Amino acid sequence: MPLFIPTIALIIKSPRADAAAVVGRERISLNAGWRFSRFTSNPDSLSYSTLKQWILPSANDFIKGAERQRPSGTPPGNSVNYVQASFDDSAWEAVNLPHDWAIKGPFNAPGIGGGMGRLPSNGVGWYRRKVTIAPDDIEATKSIFLDIDGAMSYTAVWLNGNLVGGWPYGYNSFRLDLTPYAKAGDNLLAIRVDNALDSSRWYPGAGIYRNVWLIKVDSTHVGQYGTYITTPTVSTQSATLSLVVEVENQKNTSRQVDIVTEVYELDSMTRKARGDVIATFPRGTIKVAAGAKQAFNSSVTVMNPLFWGPPPTQKPNLYVAITTLYASGAPTAMDTYETHFGIRSITYDANKGLLINGQAVRVQGTCNHHDLGSLGSAFNVRAAERQLQMLQEMGSNALRTSHNPPAPELLDMADRLGFMVLDEIFDCWNNQKTKNDFHLIFTDWREPDLRSFIRRDRNHPSVIAWSVGNEVSEQSGASGGTTGQVLRDIARSEDPTRPVTVAMNSASAGSSLADIVDIEGLNYQGEGLGTSTSGSFPSFHKTYPNKMIWSSESSSALSTRGTYIFPVTSGNSATVGGASAGGNPTAMQVSAYELYAPSWGSSPDKVFGQQDRNSFVAGEFVWTGFDYIGEPTPYDSARSSYFGIIDMAGFKKDRFYLYQSRWRSEFPMAHILPHWTWPERVGQVTPVHVFSAANEAELFVNGKSAGRLKKAQYDYRFRWDNVTYQPGDLRVVTYKNGAQWAVDTKKTVGDAAKLNISADRTTITSDGSDLSFITVAVVDSNGDTVPRASNAITFSTSGPGQIVSTDNGDPTDMTAFPSLSRKAFSGLALAIVRANAGASGKITVSATADVN
Ligand SMILES: *[C@@H]1O[C@H](CO)[C@@H](O)[C@H](O)[C@H]1NC(C)=O
Ligand SMILES: *[C@@H]1O[C@H](CO)[C@@H](O)[C@H](O)[C@H]1NC(C)=O
Ligand SMILES: *[C@@H]1O[C@H](CO)[C@@H](O)[C@H](O)[C@H]1NC(C)=O
Ligand SMILES: *[C@@H]1O[C@H](CO)[C@@H](O)[C@H](O)[C@H]1NC(C)=O
């Protein structure tokens, strides 16, 4: 018998009309209309080692000293049939970017272990599409660039059968100059990416997984990342803005240009200038030699600046500087270039932590990988925005981009929403973590990767520090200091305004790497590793009395949403093990009492206690905000992690409320766990825990008080560990400083009776990427979620849209993500719906399930 079939209607609205093209510069999306093929064995005899000498020069703008010369002769690959216009690719898959070829599965891909997520990310991928260039663009000697925001990995690009260049590191953004190879009319763009097995510790994704752009601009133009704005002095009365504009002249004659830059407030929703000009930099005139780059510096004062700062105590105000280049004396702009920025002051204080615009702000951050759950690594603005909004609802104000440069749009969002970002670039240096990871090319690429990363990101007010490494094995030896110093000095030379840090899990105070970083970033060891060390905050603080310390990675608590395992440890943190220690190795699930962690980790409670005992610590970046694909510690046969505060489908674990109680301590909230539907536990001890910012709480079990508790110092939850389960209800009444604060209830629910469907947003845009996240809950006849329901749900749609993927947050669910059938897990399932590009009207989504 099917459960009641509910439906929900999504209204489609048209995308906002694009802004009129900015005078003198076109930035055209190349996301649509590709043909793609993946090969599990090498189809073309090319490899990074055969291409390397031709690819190294692509980094010339980001190395100091001798340029890398392109070898003479015909580049490798120019005769491969995939790069020829004549090749018939009609049998290849039609795809749009951003594209992650591995996410559709199936799981258990040969050669890919649990760490990398068991999805088929390895192999060679070829992408091809036509790019039409108007004769005018060629005759007007424009520069034509290809900007790739990220492609996994070892990208090499051919235009019209000519190798243009490439970039190996899959997480960095890069530009290639197509000008020498472009022609009027149809051009054939062919892109090869190549992913080795054992190339990553987590799910890397595969293919061109971020946006790709074609830039057409006068051959004399603002260079790539060609503006840099800093704020040397900031007060409430005024701020000095210092601007560097780098003009690149690709003409074969010198040119004189006038540079005009005006500053406006930025409307962060429309990303457009708002209101009148509020400051104008002095006009500059520079002569740029043929084939050269020339910087022009100037500064201006902004009166009564609106600061950028993290909510809720501050506002993330933004500005835009619009730079226009004119051929000297001529009235028409050659190039117009926008730089979004913010005005804020930051102090990194060894005792008080972070001061933003003079106000102490605790770092309440999470670390996150780049994948977006069932959407994989294919970047999607709405999916990322939904994550940030949930983190903000929890009270989080900071992000660590563990362990690689993020999509550029993520930083735009962080600017707009007011997240502070620890922007991180590398997971390894010279020493490998996996056989084919970045260590293979670290020597050649560390400098260009680091310089391009910082130049890309340094105008974002959200970025508050650079991390040049994560848990590198060099940290405990002398090479940690020598390599760390090289990277630190490169970072400082690109951006002297921000500190440089490394996330260290086994350095000690006084080790060479700890000596040279600007912020002591401690992973776990500050609080103490598991139950084995006592915590290194005091020794670091003593050795570096003038350096700020934060937990660049904390907790690593493990849990499965809605799963509770008995008995419950009486301690406030425990290493996960078998049933008596929060684990279920057979079902591969971890108890959501939120007290369990791997050997190096700690419960949130223990981390809070250690941070509070060492009040000089600036805060923490919790591992992790969201569950992610791969690294399924402690059960390697699963598909995805247990670390998330929120599961991979975006459903909140109980832990969400533990962090909310600490990070939004002004928010009246109380949250009871576990659920209260335990037919098999009648008469058994079933601990009840409550997360709340209150300091007193009284629990009522079927109306009878189980006692009123007061939190002691370093207690972060209320726990009634001796409650005997009987069906009925739980009710907690909490008090803060004597006054009633918040109430929560949990009750025993009945059998699955129907499905309940809801959407995060019922109006979505038909821009080809906007999404609605549809939740189906299996509910009883009263409409309450059945906490352990696992009914198989089948989703369907009608109208101009499609279900992109489904999930349920179960780390062991090996059903491929595009499947329209998905078992509910702990009562819930998710479907992600996208409207067809250009569509209008209505999409109807429905769900059906059989009674179990
Ligand atoms: C500059 O380029 C133009 C157009 O390609 C060409 O006609 C001219 O000879 C070049 N001048 C020099 C000095 O190379
Ligand atoms: C321009 O500013 C940059 C970055 O602040 C600096 O490195 C450079 O020395 C300045 N140039 C001049 C001429 O002041
Ligand atoms: C727990 O319950 C048992 C039996 O009901 C009782 O003997 C014991 O004292 C209780 N322990 C606590 C800590 O309340
Ligand atoms: C049921 O769906 C409605 C919206 O359709 C939503 O407001 C409500 O929270 C859902 N209930 C459950 C138990 O998920």
Side-chain angles (χ1 to χ4, degrees):
M1 182 186 80
L3 293 179
F4 167 79
I5 301 174
T7 62
I8 193 163
L10 305 179
I11 313 292
I12 304 173
K13 73 172 193 238
S14 305
R16 232 182 357 241
D18 275 344
V22 184
V23 181
R25 172 179 288 248
E26 285 176 89
R27 184 170 184 256
I28 301 160
S29 170
L30 289 188
N31 285 349
W34 293 81
R35 290 282 172 172
F36 162 75
S37 187
R38 171 194 178 223
F39 304 84
T40 48
S41 59
N42 192 334
D44 50 37
S45 304
L46 299 173
S47 68
Y48 179 63
S49 57
T50 59
L51 296 166
K52 176 177 159 178
Q53 296 307 325
W54 279 264
I55 284 182
L56 286 174
S58 299
N60 275 342
D61 284 344
F62 304 98
I63 52 172
K64 289 275 191 278
E67 293 217 328
R68 293 157 170 179
Q69 296 299 324
R70 198 176 153 102
S72 55
T74 305
N78 282 15
S79 57
V80 166
N81 52 1
Y82 309 136
V83 312
Q84 315 301 330
S86 56
F87 177 75
D88 179 6
D89 59 17
S90 57
W92 287 14
E93 189 183 350
V95 300
N96 293 330
L97 311 181
H99 174 242
D100 174 358
W101 82 57
I103 194 62
K104 67 176 190 291
F107 282 103
N108 298 319
I112 307 271
M116 285 178 71
R118 304 193 177 281
L119 291 166
S121 53
N122 62 303
V124 170
W126 275 99
Y127 291 81
R128 289 166 48 95
R129 75 158 262 180
K130 230 165 36 187
V131 177
T132 307
I133 296 175
D136 272 2
D137 292 329
I138 303 290
E139 281 152 25
T141 58
K142 281 200 174 159
S143 292
I144 300 172
F145 300 113
L146 181 70
D147 282 0
I148 296 184
D149 289 348
M152 188 66 63
S153 58
Y154 288 94
T155 307
V157 174
W158 285 259
L159 188 70
N160 300 324
N162 297 295
L163 178 61
V164 180
W167 201 283
Y169 192 34
Y171 295 103
N172 244 347
S173 302
F174 59 96
R175 162 172 290 186
L176 297 175
D177 188 355
L178 300 182
T179 318
Y181 313 101
K183 59 180 195 201
D186 286 346
N187 292 255
L188 194 276
L189 185 58
I191 300 182
R192 181 187 194 272
V193 294
D194 192 347
N195 296 331
L197 294 169
D198 297 317
S199 60
S200 179
R201 297 188 300 122
W202 58 85
Y203 176 66
I208 309 176
Y209 69 101
R210 291 185 188 153
N211 293 318
V212 173
W213 308 93
L214 186 73
I215 310 294
K216 294 193 282 182
V217 65
D218 189 287
S219 53
T220 307
H221 50 257
V222 175
Q224 184 192 16
Y225 315 136
T227 58
Y228 179 36
I229 297 190
T230 53
T231 51
T233 62
V234 174
S235 75
T236 47
Q237 289 78 44
S238 69
T240 317
L241 308 183
S242 190
L243 169 70
V244 185
V245 178
E246 188 181 69
V247 179
E248 176 176 46
N249 178 22
Q250 294 191 309
K251 266 203 171 6
N252 61 5
T253 53
S254 74
R255 281 185 103 187
Q256 182 153 311
V257 293
D258 290 356
I259 303 170
V260 175
T261 301
E262 291 176 327
V263 177
Y264 297 81
E265 283 176 25
L266 181 77
D267 180 323
S268 62
M269 289 312 297
T270 61
R271 299 181 56 73
K272 286 186 190 137
R274 170 173 67 202
D276 299 329
V277 178
I278 57 158
T280 305
F281 285 91
R283 188 184 185 101
T285 301
I286 57 172
K287 189 165 175 180
V288 193
K293 297 191 183 79
Q294 173 86 39
F296 171 71
N297 291 13
S298 58
S299 63
V300 74
T301 301
V302 171
M303 303 309 291
N304 307 313
L306 299 169
F307 293 152
W308 183 95
T313 53
Q314 303 193 31
K315 280 198 177 131
N317 294 295
L318 295 171
Y319 290 93
V320 54
I322 302 181
T323 299
T324 311
L325 302 188
Y326 299 91
S328 263
T332 321
M334 295 152 66
D335 189 12
T336 309
Y337 187 90
E338 293 195 358
T339 309
H340 297 182
F341 69 101
I343 298 174
R344 85 280 192 277
S345 69
I346 307 193
T347 308
Y348 305 83
D349 190 286
N351 294 299
K352 294 184 215 147
L354 276 183
L355 304 177
I356 311 277
N357 303 315
Q359 187 184 68
V361 176
R362 213 176 157 70
V363 177
Q364 302 176 161
T366 63
C367 304
N368 288 290
H369 274 182
H370 75 310
D371 77 63
L372 294 166
S374 62
L375 301 169
S377 63
F379 188 76
N380 180 282
V381 170
R382 173 55 200 159
E385 181 187 59
R386 169 179 178 252
Q387 291 198 339
L388 298 194
Q389 287 170 339
M390 292 184 75
L391 293 171
Q392 209 156 43
E393 180 194 345
M394 182 167 75
S396 177
N397 62 12
L399 301 168
R400 171 171 173 236
T401 66
S402 46
H403 308 288
N404 42 258
E409 294 83 1
L410 187 85
L411 294 180
D412 293 338
M413 261 184 268
D415 288 347
R416 165 163 66 86
L417 296 172
F419 279 89
M420 303 181 285
V421 177
L422 170 54
D423 206 359
E424 183 161 272
I425 178 163
F426 298 132
D427 187 52
C428 68
W429 294 348
N430 283 301
N431 298 349
Q432 72 173 59
K433 288 187 176 173
T434 61
K435 196 170 99 210
N436 293 313
D437 66 17
F438 189 75
H439 83 281
L440 294 175
I441 54 169
F442 181 72
T443 309
D444 284 333
W445 286 90
R446 65 184 187 182
E447 179 182 354
D449 272 315
L450 184 53
R451 288 191 193 280
S452 64
F453 160 70
I454 293 182
R455 274 183 227 171
R456 189 193 73 167
D457 291 352
R458 65 190 175 180
N459 288 320
H460 288 279
S462 56
V463 175
I464 60 165
W466 307 112
S467 169
V468 296
N470 168 59
E471 298 186 357
V472 293
S473 67
E474 287 92 336
Q475 67 188 289
S476 46
S479 63
T482 46
T483 304
Q485 190 160 342
V486 169
L487 299 175
R488 183 201 67 190
D489 291 347
I490 291 171
R492 284 184 182 170
S493 74
E494 293 294 335
D495 177 32
T497 73
R498 291 178 180 85
V500 181
T501 188
V502 171
M504 301 175 290
N505 62 331
S506 65
S508 41
S511 61
S512 67
L513 180 57
D515 280 351
I516 63 91
V517 294
D518 299 323
I519 295 173
E520 298 299 331
L522 303 183
N523 289 12
Y524 311 107
Q525 56 165 315
E527 293 86 18
L529 302 174
T531 47
S532 65
T533 69
S534 60
S536 59
F537 288 136
S539 67
F540 274 85
H541 190 49
K542 189 156 169 265
T543 307
Y544 306 110
N546 300 316
K547 289 193 197 181
M548 196 177 84
I549 299 174
W550 61 25
S551 290
S552 33
E553 204 169 305
S554 62
S555 187
S556 269
L558 302 167
S559 58
T560 307
R561 177 181 54 81
T563 299
Y564 305 91
I565 295 170
F566 304 93
V568 176
T569 178
S570 58
N572 85 339
S573 187
T575 300
V576 72
S580 60
N584 182 342
T586 313
M588 301 193 294
Q589 304 295 7
V590 182
S591 177
Y593 272 91
E594 311 296 13
L595 290 165
Y596 301 96
S599 58
W600 66 86
S602 303
S603 68
D605 310 60
K606 186 190 142 189
V607 174
F608 298 160
Q610 290 291 74
Q611 297 239 332
D612 287 348
R613 288 179 180 92
N614 298 280
S615 60
F616 52 85
V617 176
E620 61 174 315
F621 294 90
V622 177
W623 193 263
T624 51
F626 283 77
D627 274 332
Y628 53 90
I629 308 171
E631 284 196 327
T633 305
Y635 304 122
D636 189 63
S637 305
R639 62 164 205 199
S640 52
S641 81
Y642 301 76
F643 295 115
I645 298 169
I646 301 169
D647 77 16
M648 218 170 69
F651 300 136
K652 295 164 186 164
K653 299 182 187 175
D654 293 295
R655 221 184 310 155
F656 180 94
Y657 300 96
L658 180 50
Y659 284 102
Q660 192 180 53
S661 70
R662 179 170 170 89
W663 289 352
R664 281 180 74 186
S665 58
E666 78 298 343
F667 180 60
M669 180 279 296
H671 175 83
I672 295 176
L673 69 152
H675 65 75
W676 211 237
T677 306
W678 297 105
E680 78 281 24
R681 296 190 63 76
V682 174
Q684 294 186 55
V685 170
T686 305
V688 174
H689 292 192
V690 168
F691 300 142
S692 175
N695 59 346
E696 280 186 82
E698 183 166 20
L699 179 72
F700 298 89
V701 181
N702 291 333
K704 223 178 115 206
S705 176
R708 180 160 167 160
L709 300 179
K710 206 170 195 154
K711 273 186 197 158
Q713 194 183 16
Y714 309 128
D715 275 355
Y716 302 93
R717 66 174 71 196
F718 299 100
R719 48 196 296 176
W720 291 266
D721 279 331
N722 217 6
V723 174
T724 301
Y725 176 78
Q726 294 293 343
D729 62 76
L730 300 174
R731 175 180 158 83
V732 71
V733 182
T734 64
Y735 303 86
K736 200 170 185 183
N737 307 321
Q740 189 171 314
W741 178 250
V743 171
D744 192 28
T745 57
K746 277 261 150 76
K747 67 179 175 196
T748 306
V749 305
D751 291 338
K754 47 190 180 172
L755 300 178
N756 185 71
I757 194 162
S758 56
D760 69 330
R761 293 183 314 149
T762 50
T763 302
I764 56 172
T765 305
S766 55
D767 59 3
S769 66
D770 198 12
L771 303 170
S772 181
F773 289 79
I774 309 282
T775 299
V776 165
V778 180
V779 297
D780 70 0
S781 55
N782 293 320
D784 293 316
T785 304
V786 180
R788 285 182 288 180
S790 59
N791 306 60
I793 294 172
T794 301
F795 291 95
S796 60
T797 54
S798 64
Q802 53 168 314
I803 292 170
V804 187
S805 65
T806 60
D807 194 9
N808 54 20
D810 176 359
T812 70
D813 188 340
M814 296 292 178
T815 309
F817 291 121
S819 173
L820 299 185
S821 296
R822 171 85 43 195
K823 280 181 123 178
F825 181 68
S826 293
L828 303 178
L830 174 82
I832 304 177
V833 177
R834 182 175 57 209
N836 296 344
S840 59
K842 217 168 76 172
I843 307 168
T844 306
V845 184
S846 55
T848 168
D850 279 337
V851 175
N852 271 5

